[in-house]
Amino acid sequence: MARIFESKQIKALAIDLDGTTLLPNGILGARTRSCLRKLVDRGIQIMISTGRAIEASEKYRSAIGAEGPMVFFNGAEVADVPCGKILHTNCINMEVVDFGADVARELKVHYQVYLPAGISPDTGEKDPKQIWETLLIENYGEEAEYYFKHTGITPVIKDLKNVAALPVNGCIKGMFIADPSLHNEICQRMNERFGDSINVMRSYPTFLEVINAGVSKGEGLRIAMEHRGLKQHEVIAFGDEENDLPMFNIAGFACVPANAREKIRDAADLIYAPNTEEGLAQYLEKTFL
């Protein structure tokens, strides 16, 4: 049975970016930007909850004027933005990074990892110049170009087998960018090796992410809500993909756009117009403005 809420009880919105808040081309629509800014001005807290890095989310956050604890890397990192203070990090170990590189080479697919902020990609030692997390790739092909256009993050090209040998505790996440027809094969190989110590999930049609066990947008949202002093019934979650599902039980109410897959729509309390029509703005305007 779908849950219901009273708009006056809502203090915060947890919003996924790609496929939910953004247009299909990755642009924040003018109507959505205006709507979210108005909500911020009225005291509604906007918590970005995304698979993206902080760096790749910053232009959207600044455009709507939202601040405070938010969820990045599918929950592997919770940070207070814009100050950039890291509140929580949960990394995959370097053995996962190493095996992921093997799988990618065997299947001839793109693979990349993120080193935590403040770590040198050359030595693995602390480097204060590395203010953002570092994206590491092995080859700059069309998948890397696509990801760069998608996020604006410039990668560092490294042999990922050598990266796995760096003296660091782990990487924030790994990601395969591959045709969806290969996703099951990649999942099977990763899960056969590491079992329930990792979590492999789709965050975008061609993106398959590898994060540590226990990491999810739901856990990240729980931590962000705790830092903000929010209760479950005061939060609505918005998302469109598998990686958004864990948020739905943490928030008091879950909404999805019509462009979400059937599995995601079935888990929601409410379905609104697709992101191609700025459905999020339409719904929020009607509900809160």
Side-chain angles (χ1 to χ4, degrees), residues 35-46 64-67:
C35 174
L36 292 174
R37 287 198 73 94
K38 288 177 181 177
L39 291 176
V40 169
D41 290 342
R42 294 189 181 196
I44 297 291
Q45 300 176 51
I46 305 297
I64 62 178
E67 297 183 352

Side-chain angles (χ1 to χ4, degrees), residues 128-184:
K129 293 182 293 184
Q130 299 289 335
I131 60 172
W132 299 112
E133 299 79 8
T134 305
L135 172 62
L136 303 174
I137 65 173
E138 287 202 318
N139 301 292
Y140 197 94
E142 67 177 74
E143 293 88 354
E145 176 69 12
Y146 176 79
Y147 191 78
F148 172 73
K149 290 179 178 178
H150 184 74
T151 64
I153 296 177
T154 300
V156 175
I157 299 176
K158 290 283 181 183
D159 183 326
L160 294 184
K161 297 287 287 184
N162 291 338
V163 169
L166 290 175
V168 295
N169 291 329
C171 288
I172 296 174
K173 74 172 182 180
M175 177 190 283
F176 297 91
I177 302 181
D179 188 282
S181 64
L182 292 171
H183 285 189
N184 286 342

Side-chain angles (χ1 to χ4, degrees), residues 200-278:
V200 185
M201 67 174 71
R202 193 172 87 157
S203 61
Y204 203 64
T206 58
F207 295 175
L208 197 63
E209 306 205 6
V210 183
I211 53 182
N212 213 24
V215 171
S216 71
K217 282 192 180 183
E219 178 61 10
L221 179 58
R222 185 193 64 76
I223 294 168
M225 287 169 57
E226 187 175 278
H227 279 277
R228 290 173 179 262
L230 292 166
K231 298 177 181 178
Q232 183 179 36
H233 69 272
E234 297 172 331
V235 181
I236 306 176
F238 297 84
D240 75 304
E241 262 292 0
E242 287 180 13
N243 60 331
D244 296 308
L245 289 174
M247 290 199 296
F248 294 179
N249 290 328
I250 300 300
F253 197 74
C255 300
V256 305
N259 53 279
R261 289 185 297 143
E262 183 178 7
K263 176 182 178 181
I264 317 304
R265 297 197 305 270
D266 288 346
D269 298 300
L270 184 140
I271 302 169
Y272 56 86
N275 68 328
T276 53
E277 301 172 12
E278 295 196 67

Side-chain angles (χ1 to χ4, degrees), residues 76-143:
E77 199 163 80
V78 177
D80 192 340
V81 288
C83 73
K85 181 181 179 181
I86 305 300
L87 304 174
H88 171 80
T89 303
N90 190 339
C91 293
I92 56 173
N93 66 45
M94 299 310 266
E95 184 182 355
V96 177
V97 172
D98 183 72
F99 186 73
D102 287 337
V103 171
R105 291 177 181 184
E106 290 176 20
L107 297 180
K108 295 181 172 55
V109 298
H110 177 86
Y111 179 61
Q112 59 188 40
V113 297
Y114 275 96
L115 272 182
I119 301 296
S120 166
D122 296 317
T123 65
E125 298 176 353
K126 291 185 177 181
D127 183 355
K129 293 182 293 184
Q130 299 289 335
I131 60 172
W132 299 112
E133 299 79 8
T134 305
L135 172 62
L136 303 174
I137 65 173
E138 287 202 318
N139 301 292
Y140 197 94
E142 67 177 74
E143 293 88 354

